[in-house]
Amino acid sequence: QFILTDLKALKQLESEFVTGYIQSMDGEKDPRNLLLAFSSIKLIIQEFDISSQAESLFEVTFCYFPITFKPPPDDPYGITADDLKVALRECLSATPLFAKFAMPLLVEKLTSESINAKKDSMEALKACAPVYGLSTIVPHLEVLWDYLKDDIINATSDSLELIALEAIQSITETLSADGIENLDHLQQFLKNVVTGCLVNLKNPELKLAKPCGKILKYCAIASDPACNIIISATLNNFIIQYRTSDLATQKKGILEILVELIAAVRCLYDQNFVMPLTPYKDEMLEVFSSALLGINEYNELRLCGLRGLHDMILLNKFLSDSEIGLILQYFNKIIIEEQDQDIVSPALEYLGNIAHYKPKIVLDVTFPIFVSKLPNTGDAIDKGSYTNYNKILNSVSKISVEPILFEALVPEILAKLNNALSPSSSTNCDYTEAILQALHTLLLKKLSLGHADISRYVNIIIPHLLAKCIEPTLRSDCEHSVFYDLRIIRV
């Protein structure tokens, strides 16, 4: 607060104030004062010329790295180790003047036996690389790649793996910062990455393949040039490998890597870019579809095919409407015809996601098929005729959340209720109750999402349901209506 209040006066002191601040901070151990000190250092870096004192300011800051603070059980101040770590990291990444002092020390800390020290170093690298710049990172590239790769492949925890991946992503972003005119360092770095990963990906079913797939993903996310380099260097190789492999486990491993690359592309690009996956679209459709439709294959491979097709649909302007429609037919067939919930449940979940992004295509391709599978209840019907109605109703409610689909569903649901006037067999009551429960579940879902279109149906649904409950009491044969049953009235 003092620095902010008297900044103008302090600036007149120039380096004298910075020197005095460094001396006053030296040896500080109280976590409350350290938080203040770190925030003040950031302000000093922003407001003062520290070029002649950068090394001294760095030393008085970096001496606290890595933070080993553990608050006492009865700590009244609520300061955590993470609070101090974040504040220190923000200091180290506040100026490129720290780069030549920090980089050798951060690289050295990557060899530490302490997992926390390693993680803190990776977090610092992630934050500092874009600030320190390409010229500072390049001399350390080889050793950084070796250390980070080993920590990803041999990760002892998910959190360590993730921060190592994010550090690689940040380094790749930094190497991309000079634009397409100067990509030599980026190309050389990614050549080493690809070469190292492809060695392990020759056996994609083994445990080293998955972390290598993640490395390729995080490099590809970093920038448009990086994504193009990764895709062009690997994708054709993966397609050929899939087609020539006879092992389902190997095929599954390859598809998992393709899914990672799709995720990278989806994360990186929007509608203003030409996706590097576009030249490989037909081949990817083929391999994912063949995996899904191979009913004799084991489910893990089929699920990879399912996931891949779903993720391709969610790529913006990647597949045509006709290609999406064909994939939806595959999903429809699985949901309606197959009994294995391990494949049906994710297919239905993915279809619900697709309905959110592509409601019109789902309305045209999927909705009519599902509705046509719902029985009419004009007569008492054998219970066997209703074998799949709960599954179909669940499917309809999953895909009909979006307004355009809900609008199509309401008249269909009300028509089914209009037909529910047959003698009140237990079968008809069960079915009518299921229809109403599906409508109720769908309304609750729309309500939780804040959909304003629900209000449009107040004067359609409520009078209709009230009339259905009242009409049987006005007739002498009321006991023959399913709407006389208390279960139906409750729901």
Side-chain angles (χ1 to χ4, degrees), residues 54 72-73 77 144 193-195 205 212 255 306 335 348 368 394 403 406 455 465 485:
Y77 305 112
L144 283 172
V193 169
V194 169
T195 301
E205 76 279 15
C212 286
L255 293 192
L306 190 70
I335 293 166
L348 186 51
N394 182 42
F406 186 69
S455 60
L465 297 182
D485 190 288

Side-chain angles (χ1 to χ4, degrees), residues 252 255 288 290-308 334 338 340 343:
K252 169 182 169 286
L255 293 192
F288 283 123
S290 66
L292 175 62
L293 300 178
I295 58 175
N296 294 324
E297 299 287 4
Y298 82 126
N299 272 1
E300 291 298 319
L301 177 57
R302 297 190 67 200
L303 287 171
C304 283
L306 190 70
R307 172 68 183 273
I334 287 171
E338 298 202 23
D340 187 344
I343 193 79

Side-chain angles (χ1 to χ4, degrees), residues 15 33 47 68 91 103 114 174 189 264 266 318 322 332 369 377 399 402 469:
S15 62
N33 291 338
E47 299 292 343
T68 56
C91 289
M103 280 305 298
S114 166
T174 304
F189 175 67
R266 188 176 174 211
F318 184 59
S322 60
N332 298 346
I369 300 297
T377 54
I399 68 168
E402 294 304 308
C469 292

Side-chain angles (χ1 to χ4, degrees), residues 216-381:
L216 294 177
K217 172 187 174 180
Y218 276 79
C219 287
I221 287 173
S223 69
D224 174 53
C227 192
N228 277 278
I229 291 169
I230 293 291
I231 296 294
S232 62
T234 62
L235 208 71
N236 194 54
N237 180 76
F238 293 142
I239 298 287
I240 294 171
Q241 197 174 355
Y242 180 90
R243 287 172 172 166
T244 56
S245 176
D246 294 324
L247 292 176
T249 51
Q250 280 196 348
K251 289 184 174 183
K252 169 182 169 286
I254 294 165
L255 293 192
E256 286 176 338
I257 298 160
L258 293 182
V259 166
E260 294 280 23
L261 293 177
I262 292 173
V265 168
R266 188 176 174 211
C267 181
L268 180 62
Y269 292 96
D270 60 30
Q271 60 188 8
N272 298 319
F273 285 86
V274 176
M275 294 180 186
L277 287 178
T278 300
Y280 307 95
K281 180 176 74 170
D282 292 341
E283 289 85 352
M284 293 174 69
L285 273 174
E286 176 201 330
V287 297
F288 283 123
S289 297
S290 66
L292 175 62
L293 300 178
I295 58 175
N296 294 324
E297 299 287 4
Y298 82 126
N299 272 1
E300 291 298 319
L301 177 57
R302 297 190 67 200
L303 287 171
C304 283
L306 190 70
R307 172 68 183 273
L309 292 172
H310 162 266
D311 290 1
M312 288 177 72
I313 288 176
L314 298 192
L315 288 173
N316 196 16
K317 297 185 177 180
F318 184 59
L319 298 181
S320 67
D321 287 356
S322 60
E323 288 165 336
I324 295 173
L326 180 61
I327 294 172
L328 290 182
Q329 290 179 38
Y330 300 157
F331 283 39
N332 298 346
K333 183 178 176 67
I334 287 171
I335 293 166
I336 291 171
E337 297 183 4
E338 298 202 23
Q339 300 302 316
D340 187 344
Q341 287 304 304
D342 289 341
I343 193 79
V344 172
S345 294
L348 186 51
E349 179 185 348
Y350 291 155
L351 191 55
N353 293 341
I354 295 165
H356 175 69
Y357 288 96
K358 301 288 183 180
K360 182 62 171 65
I361 303 176
V362 172
L363 179 64
D364 293 339
V365 176
T366 297
F367 185 83
I369 300 297
F370 284 177
V371 170
S372 71
K373 297 296 181 181
L374 290 174
N376 291 310
T377 54
D379 302 301
I381 304 173

Side-chain angles (χ1 to χ4, degrees), residues 178-184:
D178 279 1
I180 59 174
E181 298 83 9
N182 184 16
L183 295 177
D184 292 346

Side-chain angles (χ1 to χ4, degrees), residues 447-458:
L447 185 64
S448 71
L449 295 172
H451 285 192
D453 63 310
I454 294 177
S455 60
R456 292 169 48 195
Y457 299 94
V458 171

